[in-house]
Amino acid sequence: LRKILRDGDFLGRLGGDQFGVLLGQRGRPVSAEVVARKLLDAIAQPVMVEGSDVVTTASAGICLLGSDGHDVATLLRNADNALHHAKDSGQNTFRFFSADMNTRMAERLRLESDLRWALSRDELLLHYQPQVDINSGEIIGFECLLRWQHPELGMVSPVRFIPLAEESRLILPIGTWVLEEACRQNKAWQDAGMAPKVVAVN
């Protein structure tokens, strides 16, 4: 990364696998874009590890002094917002900060906060999709599907809340609940006279 940057640019490790780059006098949008692409391309170069090529990718969030903030805290926060949007857009890409990102980030944080309470408030539920033998028509098992019934937003799509649960590590207690609930339901079906069936938990 240092080899790509110019004299007057600064590189620092912010923590974990996050780095910050501060471009010098020529930090206009077009040069920031060029530098970001060079950095991402450099990181994506294969590295030989024990005889195998290993490829890593990175994402970058870009904000500009002046239009996107005037102090360090604001600039870092806005760059982080842009970084989250870059990650959501796919691997090895970058995004410039825009004002509506703050609104979307606030919505995301609120949803994450609500998800933390969803288990204790009994808002999570499982739907069971039958697995049918195509020849006999017999139900041979079930796949359980996690759903979130939000008190204000209604049914929240798993596409929306599962990645959030994974990023915030809420997926661990939620996963435990799903397994226990699927087992409880399977036992209830057997107690009601249904022959034992496999319940798949994705």
Side-chain angles (χ1 to χ4, degrees), residues 129-141:
Q129 180 170 284
Q131 297 173 328
V132 180
D133 184 301
I134 205 161
N135 294 316
S136 67
E138 177 191 359
I139 294 177
I140 57 173

Side-chain angles (χ1 to χ4, degrees), residues 84-136:
H84 277 288
H85 283 80
K87 288 180 177 178
D88 291 343
S89 301
Q91 297 179 341
N92 207 38
T93 190
F94 61 87
R95 289 291 178 267
F96 280 91
F97 173 77
S98 63
D100 67 317
M101 287 182 180
N102 277 334
T103 303
R104 283 183 277 170
M105 185 57 74
E107 290 172 359
R108 182 183 183 280
L109 290 173
R110 181 190 166 219
L111 200 64
E112 180 181 327
S113 175
D114 289 349
L115 187 57
R116 290 186 183 282
W117 293 99
L119 263 179
S120 61
R121 293 175 179 164
D122 294 324
E123 295 171 6
L124 298 180
L125 58 146
L126 296 181
H127 289 182
Y128 296 88
Q129 180 170 284
Q131 297 173 328
V132 180
D133 184 301
I134 205 161
N135 294 316
S136 67

